[in-house]
C-alpha cells in the first residue's frame, strides 16, 4: 500500500500543530512537527554560546547537531544529544532566535533531508507533516497539500491564551516579528498551485480538524 503523505503549511498560531496532531490521531497516522527541528537547532546554537545571527557559526553547528524527534501524535519527545528539549524549545528566547537560523540555506537543505528520511521511514499508513515549506519544498508530491490560515487577530489571541506567563501584547509583537522574518524566506501566506486553503478564523477546533480530514479524504479518492 502506498503511504499517504499530508503536507500542512501556515503562519504561526494558525493551528498547524494541534490540528495536524488531532487529524493524525483520528487516522492512525504519524505526525511530524518540522518547526520543532528548527527550534531545536536554535536551542543547540544558543546552548553552544554561538550567535544565531552569524550564518557561518550556525552552519558550523550543524556538524554537532544530533537531533531526534518522535512521530507519535499522542506525545513525542524532542532530543538534542542526550538532552530532552521538548519544553525548552518553546521558550521565548528560542522563538526569538529561530528565524535567523531558518534563513540559512544550508540549514534548510540539511533539515529537509532529515524530514524526508523521517517521512520515508515511518511504519504507519500515513504521516502528517506540518511547517512552512512542506507543500512546496519538503513534500511537493504529497497526497494532500493544505495551507492552514486564520486572521492575524485569531492567531494572536489563540497563542496568547497558551502563554499565560507573557502579556498578550508581547506575544503579538513577537509573533508578528517572526512571521515577517519567516515570510522573507518562504511564502506560507498564499497557497501554491494545487494546495487547498483551510481558513480556520471562523471555525472552532473540531470544525477545523474536520475540514482538514475532508481535504485528506478527497485527495485519497483521486
Ligand atoms: N480553529 C481553532 N479554534 C480555536 N483554537 C484553535 C483552533 N485551531 C487551533 N487552536 C488553538 O490555537 C493554539 C495555537 O495552535 P498551534 O497548533 O500551536 O498553531 P501553530 O502550530 O500553527 O503555531 C492552540 O492552543 C490550539 O489549540
Ligand atoms: N518548515 C518549517 C518549519 C518551521 N520553520 C521555522 O521554525 C520556526 C518555528 O516553527 P513552529 O512551527 O514551531 O512555529 P509556530 O508556528 O508553531 O510558533 C518558524 O518561525 C520558522 O522560522 C521553517 O522555517 N520551516
Amino acid at each position: 500500500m502506498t503511504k499517504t503523505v499530508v503536507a500542512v503549511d501556515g503562519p504561526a498560531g494558525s493551528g498547524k500543530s494541534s490540528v495536524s496532531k488531532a487529524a493524525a490521531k483520528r487516522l492512525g497516522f504519524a505526525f511530524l512537527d518540522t518547526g520543532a527541528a528548527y527550534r531545536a537547532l536554535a536551542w543547540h546554537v544558543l546552548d553552544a554560546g554561538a550567535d544565531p545571527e552569524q550564518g557561518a557559526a550556525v552552519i558550523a553547528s550543524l556538524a554537532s547537531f544530533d537531533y531526534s524527534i518522535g512521530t507519535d501524535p499522542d506525545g513525542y519527545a524532542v532530543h538534542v544529544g542526550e538532552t530532552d528539549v521538548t519544553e525548552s524549545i518553546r521558550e521565548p528566547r528560542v522563538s526569538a532566535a529561530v528565524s535567523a537560523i531558518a534563513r540559512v540555506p544550508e540549514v534548510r537543505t540539511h533539515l529537509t533531508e532529515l524530514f524526508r528520511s523521517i517521512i520515508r521511514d515511518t511504519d504507519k499508513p500515513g504521516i502528517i507533516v506540518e511547517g512552512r515549506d512542506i507543500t512546496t519544498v519538503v513534500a511537493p508530491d504529497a497526497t494532500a497539500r493544505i495551507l492552514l490560515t486564520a486572521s492575524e487577530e485569531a492567531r494572536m489571541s489563540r497563542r496568547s491564551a497558551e502563554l499565560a506567563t507573557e502579556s498578550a501584547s508581547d506575544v503579538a509583537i513577537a509573533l508578528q516579528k517572526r512571521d515577517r522574518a519567516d515570510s522573507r524566506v518562504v511564502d506560507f501566506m498564499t497557497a501554491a498551485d494545487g494546495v487547498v486553503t483551510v481558513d480556520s478564523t471562523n471555525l472552532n477546533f473540531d470544525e477545523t480538524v474536520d475540514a482538514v480530514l475532508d481535504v485528506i479524504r478527497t485527495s485519497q479518492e483521486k
Side-chain angles (χ1 to χ4, degrees), residues 137-152:
V137 178
V138 174
D141 299 332
T143 323
R145 294 155 74 219
I146 299 168
L147 182 72
L148 187 58
T149 61
S151 71
E152 195 168 82

Side-chain angles (χ1 to χ4, degrees), residues 79-185:
H79 284 90
V80 176
E82 298 290 307
T83 314
D84 185 332
V85 298
T86 315
E87 303 289 330
S88 42
I89 59 170
R90 306 289 157 195
E91 287 170 9
R93 69 183 185 101
V94 174
S95 300
V98 69
S99 298
I101 68 108
R103 68 172 172 249
V104 179
E106 287 82 350
V107 165
R108 303 203 70 83
T109 306
H110 185 94
L111 292 185
T112 296
E113 285 308 314
L114 181 76
F115 302 146
R116 288 182 181 152
S117 72
I118 295 173
I119 295 169
R120 233 178 355 249
D121 292 347
T122 182
D123 52 6
K124 298 268 176 68
I127 182 165
I128 305 189
V129 188
E130 58 93 359
R132 301 289 187 293
D133 61 345
I134 314 305
T135 61
T136 51
V137 178
V138 174
D141 299 332
T143 323
R145 294 155 74 219
I146 299 168
L147 182 72
L148 187 58
T149 61
S151 71
E152 195 168 82
E153 200 186 358
R155 295 189 286 109
M156 285 177 187
S157 74
R158 288 173 193 170
R159 217 0 104 73
S160 59
E162 278 181 333
L163 298 167
T165 50
E166 291 167 75
S167 80
S169 69
D170 284 355
V171 172
I173 291 165
L175 205 84
Q176 272 171 331
K177 193 172 165 204
R178 187 151 58 88
D179 272 350
R180 222 175 300 126
D182 289 341
S183 57
R184 276 187 220 118
V185 180

Side-chain angles (χ1 to χ4, degrees), residues 17-53:
S17 173
S18 52
V19 170
S20 302
K21 221 183 279 175
K25 267 190 226 180
R26 291 262 285 274
L27 295 168
F29 283 9
F31 161 74
L32 178 62
D33 173 352
T34 63
Y38 285 93
R39 287 173 176 276
L41 180 60
W43 179 91
H44 179 61
V45 167
L46 294 172
D47 185 59
D51 180 355
E53 298 288 337

